[in-house]
Amino acid sequence: MQEEARRCLRRFIRRLPGDLLKLAIVLCFVFPFYWMICTAFKSYAEAIRVPVTFWPEQFSTDGITSILGARNVDVLQYLTNSVLITFGTILLQMIILIPAAYAFARFRFFGKNVYFALVLLALMIPMQVTYITVYLTMADWNLLGTLWPQILPHGANAFGIFLLRQGFKQVPDEIIESAQMDSASQLQIILQIMVPMCKSSILTIMLFSFVGTWNNYFWPLVMTNSEAVRPLTMMLVRVLDSELGTRWNEIMAANLLIVIPVLLVYVFTSGKIIKAFTYNGIK
Amino acid sequence: MKRMRVKFLAVSGSVLSVLLLLGGALLIKIAGISDIPQAGFPGALLGGRYFLIILGVVLGVASTCLGSTAVEGGLQKKRYFPYLLIAPAMVFLLIFVVYPILNVLFLSFFRGSVQNPTKEFVGLKNYIALSEKSQFIVSVKNTFFYAAIFVTLVIVCSLLMALWLFDDRKINKFSQTAVFTPHLIATVSCAFIWRWIMDFNDYGVLNTVLSLFGISPVPWLESSKTAMWAIIVMNVWKNIGYYTLILIAAMKNIPAEIFEAAVLDNASRTKRFFKIILPMISPQLFVTLILLTIGSFNVFDSVNAMTAGGPGSSTEVIARFIYLFAFGNVNSLGLGCSAAVFLMSIQLVLTAAYFKLLARRVHY
């Protein structure tokens, strides 16, 4: 017993320097977020005070209240836009990609490889190249004043098709065949067999879409020309560009609004999200 | 034999129909610009300017029907059903990916603005202007500098981290979670946080911490010497965790017997790394390298939010050049488009080169 304990202790000491270094690195990755929260709860005077305080001496909700109302920024509008855009995009993507993935996974048809190559092409081409034309198209369709330019162009999720095809391929043939014996329609097969069997793949795709759309900054920047249709990421820029100068406690408070939903999702799905991200990286 | 012949016919029909569609699209585009009366050409009866498009669609549908008869296996009864399933996705891809690629190429031969993209045909003048524009050359240089340093740093650091956080221990799991977190946060949010941390005023926390170690304040984002490095640091910080996790997952897939054999043979740690781990994870490393490189050429969010290209033009990048010229300046949409074509070509060439150079060395 004593031997055991001594070995444990020795191992602990041997590992201590490495573990301390690990904690130091973890600190590097966590500190910026801590600093954001810390600043958000300081008053402006304290935020720019020298020497720097690493813990708000006086908890102040100045930044948050001024973001939520005092300043001429309609937070609710940005938040609604963000939510509508994100969920609209996820919904549209699901409607489009589930049938497409099913076709690519389960059917043989003429030209399949060419159509699939098109999907792969979409994976490679960055939006920094396509947005000019998409903007012109949206202008042609008279959609610029609406939320559609931020939803429609992301409708075909090439990555999602690619991923879900992989999932659908792993569903055993026998299950589908027996369903067909019971004269189930194709729609029933998709909705009642394929989708439930690939729940985790679909959830993964939804998580990706959520993070990608919620965090998007480039697309709203180039696709919108009025505050009424802009999401939260654009609000951040507006707070920064305000006439009152750079009030860092307010900027960090606005930042909290963007970060917290994602962090909440992360906390609730922590293990899953990490697994999902790494699993997909390999494929 | 007959099947082969049918297939050949169907494939050549499809290729022809794609060519017809491309030609038809060009015809519509040109007809839209010029004031050439349309009545003369094939005649209004045959669809006028839409003639080639209609012909292409008809030929495409016909060849697909023909080709479908030659596909064996699958659900023969549902011959046309899969096309119905992929139709929505294909329509979206055509409108928002394929057409934009072609259109950006088309527009790069014109001088125009957002209101009137095809004001004047200028041929290759945009490309010539591009090669002479110092702002563009600086952007290209900066982008390559950024890409080279960023990709190297991310690959090296995430490899080291992966080796270090590999074992199944609580502290490693915790570290992985912490290191991964920034990957989920919006680049703008991260950019603003780092901008605040790197603030040059006396209340900038990074300089405050550094002063504890006796380092005098550095104007991170205000000096043209350090600004690009600051952006690189932010992006490395944001992306490292993701690639670390990918590489850890790859290492977990290496069969344990190989390690045991190596330990029995008394192979040193470095030898184990270079002879076992590195070859075994090379497919994932390869994919990582491609994704990282392609992605790094698109860098925009962090630059725009942290420095907006400044100070001077020390952090201008290609994506920002496209943005500024396509939408910002008067009548320079074509110039922006030609820069976009340039960016796209770099990425295509790089991808092809990677596949050629590395695919042979990668162990599958």
Side-chain angles (χ1 to χ4, degrees), chain A residues 15 19 22 25 28-29 32 35 39 47-48 50 52 96 107-110 124 126 128 131 133 135 138 152 186 215 217-218 236 240 248 255 262 266 278 282, chain B residues 14 72 75 81-83 89 92 99-100 103 114 164 169 172 177 181 184 186 188-189 192-193 196 199 202-203 208 237 245 298 300-301 304 323 347 351:
Chain A
R15 279 173 169 177
D19 287 355
K22 268 174 206 170
I25 285 183
C28 289
F29 280 84
W35 194 235
T39 309
I48 58 164
V50 186
V52 176
I96 289 172
F107 288 88
R108 301 187 58 177
F109 50 96
F110 178 69
M124 307 274 291
Q128 277 82 350
Y131 77 91
T133 307
Y135 181 87
M138 289 297 157
L152 285 178
Q186 288 292 333
N215 290 344
Y217 162 73
F218 177 73
L236 205 58
L240 182 80
W248 282 105
N255 223 345
V262 180
Y266 184 41
T278 46
I282 299 165
Chain B
S14 310
E72 63 243 78
L75 299 157
F81 187 59
Y83 295 106
F92 271 81
Y99 170 63
N103 195 42
V114 175
W164 200 33
R169 290 175 56 205
N172 288 349
T177 315
T181 311
L184 294 171
V188 229
S189 299
F192 276 110
I193 295 173
W196 171 223
D199 203 295
D202 291 337
Y203 45 82
T208 307
W237 172 83
L245 287 185
N298 296 330
F300 177 90
D301 290 14
N304 208 44
Y323 168 67
Q347 290 171 329
T351 316

Coordinates of all heavy atoms in Angstrom, one line a residue, chain A residues 15 19 22 25 28-29 32 35 39 47-48 50 52 96 107-110 124 126 128 131 133 135 138 152 186 215 217-218 236 240 248 255 262 266 278 282, chain B residues 14 72 75 81-83 89 92 99-100 103 114 164 169 172 177 181 184 186 188-189 192-193 196 199 202-203 208 237 245 298 300-301 304 323 347 351:
Chain A
R15 N 5.5 14.2 -13.3 CA 4.6 14.8 -14.3 C 4.4 16.3 -14.0 O 3.8 17.0 -14.9 CB 3.3 14.1 -14.3 CG 3.3 12.8 -15.1 CD 2.0 12.1 -15.0 NE 1.9 11.0 -15.9 CZ 0.9 10.2 -15.9 NH1 -0.1 10.4 -15.1 NH2 0.8 9.2 -16.8
D19 N 2.6 19.1 -16.5 CA 1.2 19.5 -16.2 C 1.0 21.0 -16.0 O 0.1 21.6 -16.4 CB 0.7 18.7 -15.0 CG 0.4 17.2 -15.4 OD1 0.6 16.9 -16.6 OD2 0.1 16.4 -14.6
K22 N 1.0 22.6 -19.2 CA -0.3 22.4 -19.8 C -1.3 23.4 -19.3 O -2.0 24.1 -20.1 CB -0.8 21.0 -19.5 CG -0.4 20.0 -20.6 CD -0.8 18.6 -20.2 CE 0.2 17.6 -20.9 NZ 0.0 16.3 -20.5
I25 N -0.7 26.8 -20.7 CA -1.2 26.9 -22.1 C -2.7 27.0 -22.1 O -3.3 27.9 -22.8 CB -0.7 25.7 -22.9 CG1 0.8 25.9 -23.3 CG2 -1.5 25.6 -24.2 CD1 1.4 24.8 -24.1
C28 N -3.6 30.4 -21.6 CA -3.5 31.3 -22.8 C -4.8 31.2 -23.6 O -5.1 32.2 -24.3 CB -2.3 30.8 -23.6 SG -0.7 31.2 -22.9
F29 N -5.4 30.0 -23.6 CA -6.5 29.9 -24.5 C -7.8 30.3 -23.8 O -8.8 30.7 -24.5 CB -6.7 28.4 -24.9 CG -5.8 28.1 -26.0 CD1 -4.5 27.7 -25.8 CD2 -6.2 28.2 -27.3 CE1 -3.6 27.4 -26.8 CE2 -5.4 27.9 -28.4 CZ -4.1 27.5 -28.1
P32 N -8.3 35.1 -22.9 CA -9.0 36.1 -23.7 C -10.5 36.1 -23.4 O -11.1 37.2 -23.4 CB -8.7 35.6 -25.1 CG -7.4 35.0 -25.0 CD -7.4 34.3 -23.7
W35 N -11.1 37.7 -20.1 CA -10.9 39.1 -20.2 C -12.1 39.8 -20.9 O -12.4 40.9 -20.5 CB -9.6 39.4 -21.0 CG -9.1 40.8 -20.9 CD1 -8.8 41.6 -21.9 CD2 -8.8 41.4 -19.7 NE1 -8.4 42.8 -21.4 CE2 -8.3 42.7 -20.0 CE3 -8.8 41.1 -18.3 CZ2 -7.9 43.7 -19.1 CZ3 -8.4 42.0 -17.4 CH2 -8.0 43.3 -17.8
T39 N -14.1 42.5 -18.8 CA -14.2 43.9 -19.3 C -15.7 44.3 -19.4 O -16.1 45.4 -19.1 CB -13.6 44.1 -20.6 OG1 -12.2 43.5 -20.5 CG2 -13.5 45.5 -21.1
A47 N -12.4 50.2 -17.1 CA -11.9 49.5 -18.2 C -10.6 50.1 -18.7 O -9.7 49.4 -19.1 CB -12.9 49.4 -19.3
I48 N -10.5 51.5 -18.7 CA -9.3 52.1 -19.2 C -8.4 52.6 -18.1 O -7.6 53.5 -18.4 CB -9.7 53.2 -20.3 CG1 -10.5 54.3 -19.6 CG2 -10.4 52.6 -21.5 CD1 -10.6 55.5 -20.4
V50 N -5.4 52.8 -15.4 CA -4.1 52.2 -15.2 C -3.8 52.3 -13.7 O -4.0 53.4 -13.2 CB -3.1 53.0 -16.0 CG1 -1.7 52.3 -15.9 CG2 -3.5 53.1 -17.5
V52 N -4.0 48.2 -14.6 CA -5.1 47.3 -15.1 C -5.6 46.5 -13.9 O -4.8 46.0 -13.1 CB -4.6 46.4 -16.2 CG1 -5.7 45.4 -16.6 CG2 -4.1 47.2 -17.4
I96 N -32.9 20.4 -48.5 CA -32.2 20.2 -49.8 C -31.2 19.0 -49.6 O -31.1 18.2 -50.6 CB -31.5 21.5 -50.2 CG1 -32.5 22.5 -50.6 CG2 -30.5 21.2 -51.3 CD1 -31.9 23.8 -50.9
F107 N -28.6 5.3 -54.9 CA -29.1 5.1 -56.2 C -27.9 5.1 -57.2 O -26.8 5.7 -56.9 CB -30.0 6.2 -56.7 CG -31.4 6.1 -56.1 CD1 -31.6 6.7 -54.9 CD2 -32.4 5.4 -56.7 CE1 -32.9 6.6 -54.3 CE2 -33.6 5.3 -56.1 CZ -33.9 5.9 -54.9
R108 N -28.1 4.4 -58.3 CA -27.1 4.5 -59.4 C -27.8 5.2 -60.5 O -28.9 4.8 -60.9 CB -26.7 3.1 -59.8 CG -26.0 2.3 -58.7 CD -25.5 1.0 -59.3 NE -24.5 1.2 -60.3 CZ -23.9 0.3 -60.9 NH1 -24.1 -1.0 -60.6 NH2 -23.0 0.6 -61.9
F109 N -27.3 6.2 -61.0 CA -27.9 6.9 -62.1 C -26.9 7.5 -63.0 O -25.7 7.7 -62.7 CB -28.9 7.9 -61.7 CG -28.4 8.9 -60.6 CD1 -27.9 10.1 -61.0 CD2 -28.4 8.6 -59.3 CE1 -27.4 11.0 -60.1 CE2 -28.0 9.5 -58.3 CZ -27.5 10.7 -58.7
F110 N -27.3 7.7 -64.3 CA -26.4 8.2 -65.3 C -25.9 9.6 -64.9 O -26.7 10.5 -64.6 CB -27.2 8.3 -66.6 CG -26.3 8.8 -67.8 CD1 -25.3 8.1 -68.3 CD2 -26.7 10.1 -68.3 CE1 -24.5 8.6 -69.3 CE2 -25.9 10.6 -69.3 CZ -24.8 9.8 -69.8
M124 N -14.7 23.5 -52.7 CA -13.4 24.1 -52.9 C -13.5 25.6 -53.1 O -12.6 26.3 -52.8 CB -12.7 23.5 -54.1 CG -12.6 22.0 -54.0 SD -11.2 21.5 -53.1 CE -9.9 22.0 -54.3
P126 N -14.3 29.3 -52.6 CA -14.6 30.1 -51.4 C -15.6 31.2 -51.8 O -15.8 31.6 -52.9 CB -13.2 30.8 -51.2 CG -12.6 30.9 -52.5 CD -13.0 29.7 -53.2
Q128 N -15.4 34.2 -51.0 CA -14.8 35.4 -51.4 C -14.7 35.6 -52.9 O -14.4 36.7 -53.4 CB -13.3 35.4 -50.8 CG -13.2 35.9 -49.4 CD -13.5 34.8 -48.4 OE1 -14.0 33.7 -48.7 NE2 -13.2 35.0 -47.2
Y131 N -19.2 35.8 -54.1 CA -20.2 36.7 -53.6 C -20.6 37.8 -54.5 O -21.7 38.3 -54.5 CB -19.8 37.2 -52.2 CG -18.7 38.3 -52.3 CD1 -19.0 39.6 -52.4 CD2 -17.3 38.0 -52.3 CE1 -18.1 40.6 -52.5 CE2 -16.4 38.9 -52.4 CZ -16.7 40.2 -52.4 OH -15.8 41.2 -52.5
T133 N -21.1 37.8 -57.8 CA -22.2 37.5 -58.6 C -23.5 37.2 -57.8 O -24.5 37.6 -58.3 CB -21.8 36.2 -59.4 OG1 -20.6 36.4 -60.0 CG2 -22.9 35.8 -60.4
Y135 N -24.4 38.7 -55.2 CA -24.9 40.0 -54.9 C -25.7 40.5 -56.0 O -26.8 41.0 -55.9 CB -23.8 40.9 -54.5 CG -24.3 42.3 -54.1 CD1 -24.7 42.6 -52.8 CD2 -24.3 43.3 -55.0 CE1 -25.1 43.9 -52.5 CE2 -24.8 44.6 -54.7 CZ -25.2 44.9 -53.4 OH -25.6 46.1 -53.1
M138 N -28.9 38.7 -56.4 CA -29.9 39.1 -55.4 C -30.5 40.5 -55.7 O -31.7 40.7 -55.5 CB -29.2 39.1 -54.0 CG -28.9 37.7 -53.5 SD -30.4 36.8 -53.3 CE -29.8 35.2 -53.3
L152 N -30.6 32.1 -48.7 CA -30.7 31.3 -50.0 C -29.3 30.8 -50.5 O -29.1 29.7 -50.8 CB -31.4 32.1 -51.1 CG -32.9 32.2 -51.0 CD1 -33.4 33.1 -52.1 CD2 -33.5 30.8 -51.1
Q186 N -40.9 5.9 -51.0 CA -39.5 6.4 -50.8 C -39.5 7.5 -49.7 O -38.5 7.5 -49.0 CB -39.1 7.0 -52.1 CG -38.7 5.9 -53.2 CD -37.5 5.1 -52.8 OE1 -36.6 5.5 -52.1 NE2 -37.5 3.8 -53.3
N215 N -21.8 32.8 -36.7 CA -20.6 33.5 -36.6 C -20.2 34.2 -37.9 O -19.2 34.9 -37.9 CB -19.4 32.5 -36.3 CG -19.5 32.0 -34.9 OD1 -20.2 32.5 -34.1 ND2 -18.8 30.9 -34.6
Y217 N -19.5 36.7 -40.7 CA -19.3 38.1 -40.7 C -19.1 38.7 -42.1 O -19.7 39.7 -42.4 CB -18.1 38.4 -39.8 CG -17.4 39.8 -40.0 CD1 -18.0 40.9 -39.5 CD2 -16.2 39.9 -40.7 CE1 -17.5 42.2 -39.7 CE2 -15.6 41.2 -40.9 CZ -16.3 42.3 -40.4 OH -15.7 43.5 -40.6
F218 N -18.4 37.9 -42.9 CA -18.1 38.3 -44.2 C -19.4 38.5 -45.1 O -19.6 39.5 -45.7 CB -17.2 37.3 -44.9 CG -16.9 37.6 -46.3 CD1 -16.0 38.7 -46.7 CD2 -17.4 36.9 -47.4 CE1 -15.8 39.0 -48.0 CE2 -17.2 37.2 -48.7 CZ -16.3 38.2 -49.0
L236 N -21.6 44.4 -33.7 CA -20.3 44.6 -33.0 C -19.6 45.7 -33.7 O -19.0 46.6 -33.1 CB -19.5 43.3 -33.2 CG -18.4 43.0 -32.2 CD1 -19.0 43.0 -30.8 CD2 -17.8 41.6 -32.5
L240 N -18.5 49.5 -32.3 CA -17.1 50.0 -32.4 C -17.1 51.4 -33.1 O -16.3 52.3 -32.6 CB -16.2 49.0 -33.1 CG -14.8 49.4 -33.2 CD1 -14.1 49.1 -31.9 CD2 -14.1 48.7 -34.3
W248 N -14.7 50.1 -24.8 CA -14.4 48.7 -24.8 C -15.3 47.9 -23.9 O -15.6 46.7 -24.3 CB -12.9 48.4 -24.4 CG -12.0 48.7 -25.5 CD1 -11.2 49.8 -25.7 CD2 -11.8 48.0 -26.7 NE1 -10.5 49.8 -26.9 CE2 -10.9 48.7 -27.5 CE3 -12.4 46.8 -27.2 CZ2 -10.5 48.2 -28.8 CZ3 -12.0 46.3 -28.4 CH2 -11.0 47.0 -29.2
N255 N -20.1 41.7 -27.5 CA -19.4 40.4 -27.9 C -20.0 39.2 -27.1 O -20.2 38.1 -27.7 CB -17.9 40.5 -27.6 CG -17.0 40.0 -28.7 OD1 -17.5 39.3 -29.5 ND2 -15.8 40.3 -28.6
V262 N -23.3 30.3 -28.5 CA -22.4 29.3 -29.0 C -21.8 28.5 -27.8 O -21.7 27.3 -27.8 CB -21.3 29.8 -29.9 CG1 -20.4 28.7 -30.4 CG2 -21.9 30.6 -31.1
Y266 N -22.0 24.6 -26.8 CA -20.8 23.9 -26.6 C -20.9 23.1 -25.3 O -20.5 22.0 -25.2 CB -19.6 24.8 -26.7 CG -18.3 24.2 -26.5 CD1 -18.0 23.0 -27.2 CD2 -17.3 24.8 -25.8 CE1 -16.8 22.4 -27.1 CE2 -16.0 24.2 -25.7 CZ -15.8 23.0 -26.4 OH -14.6 22.4 -26.3
T278 N -13.9 16.3 -34.9 CA -12.8 15.6 -35.2 C -13.1 14.5 -36.2 O -12.4 14.2 -37.1 CB -12.1 14.9 -34.0 OG1 -13.1 14.3 -33.2 CG2 -11.4 16.0 -33.2
I282 N -11.5 13.9 -40.3 CA -10.8 12.7 -40.8 C -11.3 12.4 -42.2 O -10.6 12.0 -43.1 CB -10.9 11.6 -39.9 CG1 -10.2 11.9 -38.5 CG2 -10.2 10.3 -40.4 CD1 -10.6 11.0 -37.4
Chain B
S14 N -24.3 14.5 -73.6 CA -24.3 15.3 -72.4 C -23.2 16.4 -72.6 O -23.4 17.5 -72.2 CB -24.0 14.5 -71.2 OG -24.9 13.4 -71.2
E72 N -26.8 -0.2 -65.1 CA -27.3 -1.5 -64.6 C -27.4 -1.4 -63.1 O -26.9 -0.5 -62.4 CB -26.3 -2.6 -65.0 CG -25.0 -2.5 -64.4 CD -23.9 -2.3 -65.5 OE1 -23.8 -1.2 -66.1 OE2 -23.2 -3.3 -65.7
L75 N -32.1 0.7 -58.4 CA -33.5 0.5 -58.5 C -34.0 0.9 -59.8 O -34.3 2.0 -60.2 CB -34.2 1.4 -57.4 CG -33.7 1.1 -56.0 CD1 -33.9 2.4 -55.1 CD2 -34.5 0.0 -55.4
F81 N -36.2 8.8 -60.5 CA -36.4 9.3 -59.2 C -35.2 10.0 -58.6 O -35.3 11.1 -58.0 CB -36.9 8.2 -58.3 CG -37.3 8.6 -56.9 CD1 -38.3 9.5 -56.7 CD2 -36.6 8.1 -55.8 CE1 -38.7 9.9 -55.4 CE2 -37.0 8.5 -54.5 CZ -38.0 9.4 -54.4
P82 N -34.0 9.4 -58.7 CA -32.8 10.1 -58.1 C -32.6 11.5 -58.7 O -32.1 12.4 -57.9 CB -31.6 9.2 -58.5 CG -32.2 8.2 -59.5 CD -33.6 8.1 -59.2
Y83 N -32.9 11.8 -59.9 CA -32.8 13.1 -60.5 C -33.7 14.1 -59.7 O -33.3 15.2 -59.5 CB -33.1 13.1 -62.0 CG -32.1 12.3 -62.8 CD1 -32.5 11.1 -63.3 CD2 -30.8 12.8 -63.0 CE1 -31.5 10.4 -64.0 CE2 -29.9 12.0 -63.7 CZ -30.3 10.8 -64.2 OH -29.4 10.1 -64.9
A89 N -30.8 20.5 -54.9 CA -29.3 20.8 -54.5 C -28.6 21.3 -55.8 O -27.8 22.2 -55.7 CB -28.7 19.5 -54.0
F92 N -29.5 24.9 -56.7 CA -28.8 25.8 -55.8 C -27.3 25.9 -56.1 O -26.7 27.0 -56.1 CB -29.0 25.4 -54.3 CG -30.2 26.0 -53.7 CD1 -31.5 25.4 -53.9 CD2 -30.1 27.2 -53.0 CE1 -32.6 26.0 -53.4 CE2 -31.3 27.7 -52.4 CZ -32.5 27.1 -52.6
Y99 N -22.6 29.2 -61.6 CA -22.8 30.4 -62.3 C -21.9 31.6 -61.8 O -21.2 32.3 -62.6 CB -24.3 30.8 -62.3 CG -24.5 32.2 -62.8 CD1 -24.3 32.5 -64.1 CD2 -25.0 33.2 -62.0 CE1 -24.5 33.8 -64.6 CE2 -25.2 34.5 -62.4 CZ -25.0 34.8 -63.8 OH -25.2 36.0 -64.2
P100 N -21.7 31.8 -60.5 CA -20.8 32.8 -60.0 C -19.4 32.6 -60.5 O -18.7 33.6 -60.8 CB -20.9 32.7 -58.5 CG -22.3 32.2 -58.3 CD -22.6 31.2 -59.4
N103 N -19.4 33.7 -64.1 CA -19.8 35.1 -64.3 C -18.6 36.0 -63.8 O -18.4 37.0 -64.4 CB -21.0 35.4 -63.4 CG -21.6 36.7 -63.8 OD1 -21.7 37.0 -65.0 ND2 -22.0 37.5 -62.8
V114 N -21.5 48.1 -59.8 CA -22.5 47.2 -59.3 C -23.8 47.4 -60.1 O -24.5 46.5 -60.4 CB -22.7 47.3 -57.8 CG1 -23.9 46.5 -57.3 CG2 -21.4 46.9 -57.1
W164 N 1.5 15.8 -27.3 CA 1.6 16.1 -25.9 C 0.3 15.8 -25.1 O 0.4 15.4 -24.0 CB 2.0 17.6 -25.8 CG 2.6 18.0 -24.5 CD1 3.4 17.3 -23.7 CD2 2.4 19.3 -23.9 NE1 3.8 18.0 -22.6 CE2 3.2 19.2 -22.7 CE3 1.7 20.4 -24.2 CZ2 3.2 20.3 -21.8 CZ3 1.8 21.5 -23.4 CH2 2.6 21.4 -22.2
R169 N -5.7 11.1 -20.2 CA -5.7 11.6 -18.8 C -6.7 12.7 -18.7 O -7.0 13.4 -19.7 CB -4.3 12.0 -18.5 CG -3.3 10.9 -18.4 CD -1.9 11.4 -18.1 NE -1.9 12.3 -16.9 CZ -1.0 13.2 -16.7 NH1 -0.1 13.5 -17.6 NH2 -1.1 13.9 -15.6
N172 N -5.4 16.1 -19.8 CA -5.4 16.2 -21.3 C -6.7 16.5 -21.9 O -6.9 17.3 -22.8 CB -4.7 14.9 -21.9 CG -3.3 14.8 -21.6 OD1 -2.7 15.8 -21.1 ND2 -2.7 13.7 -21.8
T177 N -10.4 20.4 -24.5 CA -11.6 21.1 -24.5 C -11.3 22.6 -24.6 O -11.9 23.4 -25.3 CB -12.5 20.8 -23.3 OG1 -12.5 19.4 -23.1 CG2 -13.9 21.3 -23.5
T181 N -12.0 25.5 -27.8 CA -13.1 26.5 -27.6 C -13.0 27.6 -28.7 O -14.0 27.9 -29.3 CB -13.1 27.0 -26.2 OG1 -13.1 25.9 -25.3 CG2 -14.4 27.9 -26.0
L184 N -14.9 27.6 -32.1 CA -16.3 27.8 -32.2 C -16.8 29.2 -32.2 O -17.9 29.5 -32.6 CB -17.0 27.0 -31.1 CG -16.9 25.5 -31.1 CD1 -17.5 24.9 -29.8 CD2 -17.6 24.9 -32.3
A186 N -16.9 33.2 -33.2 CA -16.8 34.0 -34.4 C -15.5 34.6 -34.5 O -14.9 35.1 -33.5 CB -17.9 35.0 -34.4
V188 N -14.8 37.4 -35.9 CA -14.8 38.9 -35.5 C -14.8 39.0 -34.0 O -14.1 39.9 -33.5 CB -16.2 39.5 -35.9 CG1 -15.9 40.8 -36.6 CG2 -17.1 38.6 -36.6
S189 N -15.5 38.2 -33.2 CA -15.4 38.3 -31.8 C -14.0 38.1 -31.3 O -13.5 38.9 -30.5 CB -16.3 37.2 -31.1 OG -17.6 37.3 -31.5
F192 N -11.9 41.1 -32.1 CA -12.1 42.2 -31.2 C -11.5 42.0 -29.8 O -10.9 42.9 -29.2 CB -13.6 42.6 -31.1 CG -14.0 43.4 -32.2 CD1 -14.9 43.0 -33.2 CD2 -13.6 44.7 -32.3 CE1 -15.3 43.7 -34.3 CE2 -14.0 45.6 -33.4 CZ -14.9 45.1 -34.3
I193 N -11.6 40.8 -29.4 CA -11.0 40.5 -28.0 C -9.5 40.7 -28.1 O -8.9 41.3 -27.2 CB -11.3 39.0 -27.6 CG1 -12.8 38.8 -27.4 CG2 -10.6 38.7 -26.3 CD1 -13.2 37.4 -27.2
W196 N -8.5 44.3 -28.2 CA -8.6 44.9 -26.9 C -7.4 44.4 -26.1 O -6.8 45.2 -25.3 CB -9.9 44.5 -26.3 CG -10.1 44.8 -24.8 CD1 -10.7 44.0 -23.9 CD2 -9.9 46.0 -24.1 NE1 -10.8 44.6 -22.7 CE2 -10.3 45.8 -22.8 CE3 -9.3 47.2 -24.5 CZ2 -10.1 46.8 -21.8 CZ3 -9.1 48.2 -23.5 CH2 -9.6 48.0 -22.2
D199 N -4.2 46.2 -27.1 CA -4.3 47.7 -27.1 C -2.9 48.3 -26.7 O -2.3 47.9 -25.8 CB -5.4 48.1 -26.2 CG -5.9 49.5 -26.5 OD1 -5.1 50.5 -26.5 OD2 -7.1 49.6 -26.9
D202 N -1.9 52.5 -22.3 CA -1.3 51.9 -21.0 C -2.2 50.8 -20.4 O -1.7 50.0 -19.6 CB -1.1 53.0 -20.0 CG 0.0 54.0 -20.4 OD1 0.8 53.5 -21.2 OD2 0.0 55.1 -20.0
Y203 N -3.5 50.8 -20.8 CA -4.4 49.8 -20.2 C -4.5 48.6 -21.0 O -5.3 47.7 -20.8 CB -5.8 50.4 -20.0 CG -6.3 51.2 -21.1 CD1 -6.9 50.6 -22.2 CD2 -6.2 52.6 -21.1 CE1 -7.4 51.4 -23.3 CE2 -6.7 53.4 -22.2 CZ -7.3 52.8 -23.2 OH -7.8 53.5 -24.3
T208 N 0.8 45.1 -20.4 CA 0.9 45.2 -19.0 C 1.6 43.9 -18.5 O 2.5 44.0 -17.6 CB -0.5 45.3 -18.3 OG1 -1.2 46.4 -18.9 CG2 -0.4 45.4 -16.8
W237 N -4.0 31.0 -32.7 CA -4.7 30.8 -31.5 C -6.1 30.2 -31.7 O -6.5 29.3 -31.0 CB -4.7 32.1 -30.7 CG -5.6 32.1 -29.5 CD1 -5.2 31.6 -28.2 CD2 -6.9 32.5 -29.3 NE1 -6.2 31.8 -27.3 CE2 -7.3 32.3 -28.0 CE3 -7.9 33.0 -30.2 CZ2 -8.6 32.6 -27.5 CZ3 -9.1 33.4 -29.7 CH2 -9.4 33.2 -28.4
L245 N -7.1 18.4 -32.4 CA -8.0 17.3 -32.2 C -8.0 16.3 -33.4 O -8.1 15.1 -33.2 CB -9.4 17.9 -32.0 CG -9.6 18.5 -30.6 CD1 -11.1 19.0 -30.5 CD2 -9.3 17.6 -29.5
N298 N -8.0 32.8 -48.1 CA -9.2 33.6 -48.0 C -9.3 34.5 -46.9 O -10.3 35.1 -46.6 CB -10.4 32.6 -47.9 CG -10.5 31.8 -49.1 OD1 -10.2 32.2 -50.2 ND2 -11.0 30.6 -49.0
F300 N -9.9 37.1 -44.3 CA -10.5 38.4 -44.5 C -11.0 38.9 -43.2 O -10.6 40.0 -42.7 CB -11.7 38.3 -45.5 CG -12.5 39.5 -45.6 CD1 -12.1 40.4 -46.6 CD2 -13.5 39.8 -44.8 CE1 -12.8 41.6 -46.7 CE2 -14.2 41.0 -44.9 CZ -13.9 41.9 -45.9
D301 N -11.9 38.1 -42.5 CA -12.5 38.6 -41.3 C -11.6 39.2 -40.3 O -11.8 40.3 -39.8 CB -13.3 37.4 -40.6 CG -14.5 37.0 -41.4 OD1 -14.6 37.4 -42.6 OD2 -15.3 36.2 -40.9
N304 N -9.9 42.4 -41.5 CA -10.8 43.5 -41.6 C -11.2 44.0 -40.2 O -11.4 45.2 -40.0 CB -12.1 43.1 -42.3 CG -12.8 44.2 -43.0 OD1 -12.1 45.1 -43.7 ND2 -14.1 44.3 -42.9
Y323 N -12.8 42.9 -52.2 CA -13.9 43.5 -51.5 C -13.9 45.0 -51.8 O -14.9 45.6 -52.1 CB -13.9 43.2 -50.0 CG -14.8 44.1 -49.1 CD1 -16.2 43.9 -49.2 CD2 -14.2 45.0 -48.2 CE1 -17.0 44.7 -48.4 CE2 -15.1 45.7 -47.4 CZ -16.4 45.6 -47.5 OH -17.2 46.3 -46.7
Q347 N -5.6 29.0 -55.7 CA -6.1 27.9 -54.9 C -6.2 26.6 -55.7 O -5.8 25.6 -55.2 CB -7.4 28.3 -54.2 CG -7.2 29.4 -53.2 CD -8.5 29.9 -52.7 OE1 -9.5 30.0 -53.4 NE2 -8.5 30.4 -51.4
T351 N -3.9 23.3 -54.9 CA -4.5 22.0 -54.6 C -4.0 21.0 -55.5 O -3.6 19.9 -55.1 CB -6.0 22.1 -54.8 OG1 -6.5 23.3 -54.2 CG2 -6.7 20.9 -54.2

